[in-house]
């Protein structure tokens, strides 16, 4: 081999070969026994709502006030707990939801709010904080996994790329993006009308057959083994680990987790023929195979960032709520049917809420002062609303919490304690969160 055929050149060629590497039900008694086992494997699903969903039109309605808007309340399965009329499936499963109505933050800009809620920290200073998915993957992942420990589906990152980064944890815990796009509505549909949520790194590039792929892999492994031998503890070692993981996944049976065509069409239709709904189905399949953290995003449509409803709020939120209710409601039932709900904690949130007051364009604007998130599933005492806002929805009058409190409660529900830490490259432990655990919502 010519000396001019460098490692750098080889890696560029290999990238083409890899594609775009970025790197049923159980018996109820058995499922319950596993759920109560303190050593059980735990999982987290983040349902991320880009743009900031309106709390006043979903989980904290104000029907007797002029700020209440057009939607009606419906009674849920829990006496006294009411949701929007556009969330009937979630209303039926309200006994498994804890509605956090007292959330209050100070970041009303999309980019800053996204970073704050996804990392727990304000976007300032020299530290590159990991997103919550990377932090939890670091805490929950097993040593040897074929599937990635952090998967993000339908992601819209245009507001703040750093808010989706593994930060100082490095690429090993970075998210594998599936069906991600910063161009709303750009994911195509398959022949059955479902969105094509493909993982490009599982396919060989066009024109590269299996024999040629294997030849490239042998050359790559030869070059890498020599280069990484003296750099295994640094960035080169982490980069090599990501590539090796991608190669293992390409040839693993676990890659079938991404193939939604294996699921019954009726179930796929129940989830909804959209990126969010099919992403929720993929999340169940990934959790079933041991992936500790999966994010599914709902925040884009053909017209833009869906939850950013500065105008025509009620039409948009009705459509978004239908997508949310079908996807999330079916996910909860599906996880329960597979004996996975008690070991899977779900967090629903966006970067902030929206103004209770309706603007002249029939919209609601950015509002971080008093808004709502939801915790559900494993470790959560559902069937309740924690916190209360004023009659007009503008202030928290009881149970006020911040993002650090929310994340500390999530960590506790996952069995990690109130302030688990990630280790920085300098050897300094940095807590994921240092808030107060809301014990009232923990099971």
């Amino acid at each position: 081999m010519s000396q001019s055929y460098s490692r750098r050149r080889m890696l560029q060629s290999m990238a083409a070969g890899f594609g775009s590497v970025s790197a049923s039900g159980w018996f109820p008694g058995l499922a319950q026994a596993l759920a109560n086992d303190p050593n059980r494997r735990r999982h987290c699903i983040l349902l991320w709502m880009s743009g900031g969903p309106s709390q006043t039109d979903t989980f904290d309605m104000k029907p007797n006030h002029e700020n209440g808007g057009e939607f009606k309340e419906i009674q849920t399965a829990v006496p006294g707990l009411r949701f929007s009329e556009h969330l009937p499936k979630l209303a039926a499963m309200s006994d498994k939801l804890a509605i956090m109505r007292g959330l209050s933050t100070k970041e009303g800009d999309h980019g800053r709010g996204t970073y704050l809620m996804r990392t727990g920290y304000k976007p300032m200073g020299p530290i590159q904080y990991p997103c919550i998915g990377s932090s939890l993957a670091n805490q929950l992942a097993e040593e040897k996994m074929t599937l990635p420990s952090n998967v993000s589906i339908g992601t819209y990152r245009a507001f703040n790329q750093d808010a989706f980064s593994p930060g100082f944890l490095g690429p090993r815990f970075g998210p594998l993006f599936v069906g991600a796009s910063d161009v709303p509505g750009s994911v195509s549909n398959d022949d059955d009308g479902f969105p094509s949520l493909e993982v490009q790194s599982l396919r060989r590039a066009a024109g590269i057959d299996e024999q040629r792929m294997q030849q490239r892999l042998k050359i790559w492994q030869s070059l890498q083994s020599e280069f990484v031998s003296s750099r295994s503890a640094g960035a080169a070692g982490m980069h090599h680990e990501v590539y090796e993981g991608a190669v293992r996944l390409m040839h693993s049976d676990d890659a079938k987790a991404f193939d939604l065509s294996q699921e019954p069409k009726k179930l796929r239709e129940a989830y909804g023929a959209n990126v969010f709904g099919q992403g929720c189905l993929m999340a169940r399949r990934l959790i079933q195979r041991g992936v500790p953290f999966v994010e599914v995003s709902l925040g884009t449509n053909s017209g833009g960032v869906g939850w950013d409803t500065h105008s025509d709020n009620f039409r948009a939120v009705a459509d978004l709520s239908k997508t949310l209710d079908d996807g999330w409601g079916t996910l909860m039932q599906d996880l329960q049917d597979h004996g996975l709900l008690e070991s899977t904690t779900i967090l629903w949130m966006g970067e902030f809420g929206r103004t209770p007051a309706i603007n002249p364009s029939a919209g609601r604007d950015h509002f971080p002062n008093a808004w709502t998130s939801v915790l559900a599933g494993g470790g959560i005492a559902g069937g309740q609303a924690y916190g209360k806002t004023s009659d007009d929805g503008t202030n928290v009058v009881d149970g006020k919490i911040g993002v650090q409190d929310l994340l500390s409660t999530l960590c506790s529900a996952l069995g990690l304690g109130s302030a688990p830490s990630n280790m920085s490259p300098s050897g300094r432990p940095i807590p994921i969160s240092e808030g107060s655990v809301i014990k009232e919502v923990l099971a």
Side-chain angles (χ1 to χ4, degrees), residues 93-132:
M93 301 197 75
S94 59
D95 61 316
K96 300 186 173 55
L97 308 178
I99 315 301
M100 313 299 286
R101 288 178 174 166
L103 194 57
S104 182
T105 54
K106 298 183 183 299
E107 298 292 350
D109 170 78
H110 282 300
R112 293 181 64 85
T114 297
Y115 190 91
L116 174 67
M117 296 307 298
R118 294 182 61 86
T119 68
Y121 293 90
K122 294 182 178 180
M124 58 187 296
I127 300 176
Q128 294 181 319
Y129 292 105
C131 65
I132 188 63

Side-chain angles (χ1 to χ4, degrees), residues 313-364:
N313 172 81
F314 299 100
R315 179 202 58 79
V317 173
D319 290 345
L320 288 160
S321 294
K322 171 74 164 94
T323 300
L324 176 67
D325 195 56
D326 286 344
W328 186 5
T330 305
L331 173 63
M332 296 274 288
Q333 187 62 57
D334 203 9
L335 286 170
Q336 183 167 279
D337 291 345
H338 284 81
L340 295 169
L341 185 58
E342 291 300 323
S343 59
T344 304
T345 307
I346 299 170
L347 171 61
W348 178 87
M349 67 176 181
E351 61 263 40
F352 41 62
R354 307 207 73 82
T355 53
I358 304 166
N359 68 29
S361 298
R364 299 189 191 271

